[in-house]
Amino acid sequence: MNQPTHSSTEAALQHYKEGLGAFTQKIPAVAEKFNAFTKACFQKGALSQKEKQLIALGISLATQDEYCTIYHTKGCIDQGATEQEILEACSVAVAFAGGAAMSQAVTLVQECIAELTTKH
């Protein structure tokens, strides 16, 4: 049987979505409020959605959160951020978080960009 091929980025995003779905079923009051809160945080305001995604990516790198790094790299791309904008946001995170953020920026973020911008 032929299984569709998925990138590591797509697999990680799917794993997160499945986990969130299971968590939401088990504790909906918390999950639904958290999801509503984060949705409100990422709405366009004084900052654009792209700017908010770039900030979130930097924070994800600084806190060494791989799932959020993948999720927000995708968010940056979805909001029209260029590779240069993404890498500059990464460099700011590296300035604050040092080597740990750098290791994720030069591996995970670049893998996500390559996988998410390549046409299948």
Side-chain angles (χ1 to χ4, degrees), residues 1-75:
M1 176 187 310
N2 287 340
Q3 293 288 334
T5 57
H6 296 286
S7 70
S8 59
T9 299
E10 291 168 330
L13 290 170
Q14 184 61 35
H15 188 242
Y16 173 79
K17 287 178 185 178
E18 290 170 0
L20 183 59
F23 185 86
T24 300
Q25 287 179 340
K26 294 174 184 175
I27 189 162
V30 172
E32 290 167 4
K33 285 179 175 65
F34 176 79
N35 291 336
F37 172 73
T38 57
K39 182 178 179 181
C41 290
F42 282 89
Q43 294 298 311
K44 184 179 181 219
L47 297 174
S48 70
Q49 289 178 303
K50 179 174 84 171
E51 290 167 324
K52 290 179 178 190
Q53 287 294 336
L54 290 164
I55 291 167
L57 174 58
I59 293 168
S60 299
L61 288 170
T63 59
Q64 300 178 41
D65 185 332
E66 289 188 26
Y67 280 104
C68 285
T69 296
I70 293 168
Y71 185 84
H72 292 295
T73 299
K74 181 179 183 332

Side-chain angles (χ1 to χ4, degrees), residues 45-115:
L47 297 174
S48 70
Q49 289 178 303
K50 179 174 84 171
E51 290 167 324
K52 290 179 178 190
Q53 287 294 336
L54 290 164
I55 291 167
L57 174 58
I59 293 168
S60 299
L61 288 170
T63 59
Q64 300 178 41
D65 185 332
E66 289 188 26
Y67 280 104
C68 285
T69 296
I70 293 168
Y71 185 84
H72 292 295
T73 299
K74 181 179 183 332
C76 289
I77 292 167
D78 290 348
Q79 291 300 320
T82 65
E83 181 175 11
Q84 188 66 30
E85 289 172 320
I86 292 169
L87 295 178
E88 286 185 20
C90 291
S91 70
V92 173
V94 169
F96 281 88
M102 182 66 151
S103 68
Q104 297 299 305
V106 302
T107 57
L108 187 57
V109 171
Q110 292 189 100
E111 290 168 10
C112 289
I113 292 169
E115 290 177 5

